[in-house]
Amino acid sequence: MKYNPNEIEAKWQKYWAENKTFAAQNNSDKPKHYVLDMFPYPSGAGLHVGHPLGYIASDVYSRFKRHQGFNVLHPMGYDSFGLPAEQYAIQTGQRPEDTTRVNIDGGVDKEGNQIAGYRKQLDKIGFSFDWSREVRTSNPDYYKHTQWIFIQLFNSWYCKKQNKAFDVTELVKVFAEEGNVLVEAVCDDQVAIFTAEDWNTYSEEEQEKILLKYRLTYLAETEVNWCPGLGTVLANDEIVNGVSERGGYPVIRKKMTQWSMRISAYAERLLQGLNDIDWSESIKESQRNWIGKSVGASVDFSLQNLDGTISVFTTRPDTIFGVTFMTLAPEHELVSQITTAEQIAAVDAYIEKTAKRSERERMADVKTISGVFTGGYAEHPFTKEPIPVWIGDYVLAGYGTGAVMAVPCGDERDYAFANFFKGQKGMPAIKNIFDQDISESAFGSKDGFKLVESDFLDGLGYKEATQKAIAELEAIEQGTGKTNYRLRDAVFSRQRYWGEPFPVYYVNGLPKMIDAQHLPIILPEVANYLPTEEGLPPLGNAIVWAWDTVNNKVVATDLVDNKSIFPLELNTMPGWAGSSWYWMRYMDANNETEFASAEALKYWESVDLYIGGNEHATGHLLYARFWNKFLKDKGFAPTEEPFKKLINQGMILGTSAFVYRLEGTNSFISKNKIEGQNVQPIHADVSMVNASDELDVERFRNWREEYKNAEFILDENGKYIVGREVEKMSKSKYNVVTPDDICAEYGADTLRLYEMFLGPLEQAKPWNTAGISGVFGFLKKLCRLYFDEHNLIITDEEPNKENLKSLHKTIKKVVDDIENFSFNTSVSQFMICVNELSAQNCHSRAILEPLAIVISPYAPHIAEELWSLLGYEGSIATVPFPVFEAKYLVESEKEYPVSFNGKMRFTLKLPLDLTKDQIEQIVMKDERTLKQLDGKTPNKVIIVPGKIINLVG
């Protein structure tokens, strides 16, 4: 019999599908275990060998837990809404719905490209996914629940006193009975105080405007990252070096009316919840920094010669007398008010320049110093001295209040700013309030100083001065103690087509929610995916996009009369909407009436193991925790945290190939000859290069028209040698290796084992196809333990001690490794075990049956085939995992090194239960000892049982 992976794997993949082998039950006597992967965005490029790394790890773990008797939920779906599909639609004229479906299911797109399809690619690798629970976020039967969650957020507010979200109807009741004086809510900063009498006299429209300031999702004018090239708002993590990650288009800061999510309400719970989950410290620290809790004071600086104040948050109220100037974010609403006529031209120019830089770029750039004096002044709350007001792009409008009180003597950035503009109008000399030297740098420590030149704070240190400064600010009603968070509310609108429609229509400009019973509001057909000529989002092109409040359905846009038919929201939800709750849908994916039943939610509770990339640390993972906590508040989610344990897989890197073009020519010179030449490295497709780094020159010439007549300067042996470099695996670098090719040549089991063998799961590691053959050879060697060229060679003979030792050593190692996610060392142990059993000529059923089970999480297809050949019906998938028995690893003998005056001369194998005297008697009678002693008597015989024997003198 011959190991034929293609035949074996197709057979068992068909068996699993037909028998629903991996379907989880929502009620089972078995203990539950929920293993989840971050689901993919289905691009037309499909999977490369880097993508399945985390999926293989989670699959190994899922299969192992089934062997341990768990009811395992291991689902898969697609995060199928998103900007890439829309951009592709704009470029090619295809519907995003069509391209997304082809990318998932496979087929030929409108351009004639053959698309493998994610589903087929995943199936070929042999994953134990419960496909009966598949979700696609772009399907109406999924996103109707996303719309429903949005409505719940709109109808909720956050009570600070109880630290929990409640229904807005309860807030309305309080307003009607007491007004808002005693309400402790997370809400907009500018909320006027009103009495119950006031509330009850307000019109319905006035009441709705007030409620918008309290709702957990709300409309507000917000500073956003606007990308004209893409026609949409981008999140910070969608921008790289000031341009859009998708397409590389410029991004500017712009004020727009947007839907926002009040994630800031959950800042403290998001922070404290990190203490209760098993995540890496690096991810937790990323979230802590993003949430950015700081304790200090809010201080109000009155404007000189103008009405109004500049509010700042500072963690160092003790330095209040060191304020030398103030800096506002260029976007701050007071800039236009305080800028003088003399400074307006410079200020406007600076604001225009700053608008082209993203917030992330501004935060990261700590070297560039820039700013402009507004000409305006604020007033010190205690001394009443004038304080010049500047603008600078290191201050961000969305962080804190968008203003800072600059204390150059105690802050390095303020110190650098003050010195950079030293001597210019509006930049006074630095005030030093510390009994320390600041001639070379700021004094930033909170210890080891006494305050000077600080009025009532003179002689105090940090702690005492902070308390006293806050007390005095509160006494003069110009400040208060405060805890602040860097975390800002999340913009929830996108000016694009391919996203979840909002279940919102507008009456007199105010948003109204469509009743949940009429969901989903399905994305309409449009002829053009670009914004309208008037600059409206793409849904402005829809001809059927209005809400009929009488018949409760979507009708033609031209029927809008603002009496019974009203305009629908033109924005769509962002990419993170559908991914912020998808793990709950998997719990009850086919439920047509609710996102998941209470019974299913109670049974599965939360994800036990989540595997995905660390690039989602402050995006998806933060939003998912926020939505989960909200749904817990509303009685839907059963737990506070969605993901108990999180593991971030590392990246598999590609090994790129480079050819070298002589500058200004169409000649390419071999790597070995480039010394002293001016060359331009150009990526070549790795499929054109063999294992010896030799380029197929003719294939390269035919690759592109521009290379058709290229000349090649070869080595003396007539070969063109390419350069190699390890970098990110990417289609643009032509270093992609597809799993389909590996599976076709070597089989999925080889791919699975090799990816796990490459190195620790969390680390980045380079792909080297040359190493695949070694793993393939191992699987063939494994098969030879079970069958020869013609027949099964399993015997019923009793295993010997060495057989049992090899097996149980492997069982112990694999169990420990899987529980600790050290998959690479398990594969090494498989190789050791098979080599040992081969050397022992072991074909014992008592050894090889459990070995098939032990290897099955890693190489499930060959394990199934061996299990079948061993005479068993049904799948190996739920057969109990072999139990490690320590007795088989207990050594009964020891091979002692026998030394003479510390030099080892020979070894002697002896039973471990011998006493010192018995060991000495045996050693002294050994012929080799007598020969070494040559008639002499040793002065001393040192024996440590189980370790050493040493004869001295």
Side-chain angles (χ1 to χ4, degrees), residues 223-252:
E223 280 282 338
V224 295
N225 301 311
W226 173 250
C227 180
L230 295 175
T232 191
V233 169
L234 299 178
N236 283 333
D237 56 6
E238 295 174 308
I239 303 165
V240 178
N241 298 324
V243 298
S244 63
E245 184 179 36
R246 174 66 52 176
Y249 298 104
V251 178
I252 61 173

Side-chain angles (χ1 to χ4, degrees), residues 141 144-145 519-520 585 588-596:
D141 62 357
K144 79 173 185 179
H145 302 294
L519 301 179
R585 184 59 178 168
D588 198 10
N590 301 304
N591 191 321
E592 295 181 3
T593 57
E594 51 194 340
F595 75 89

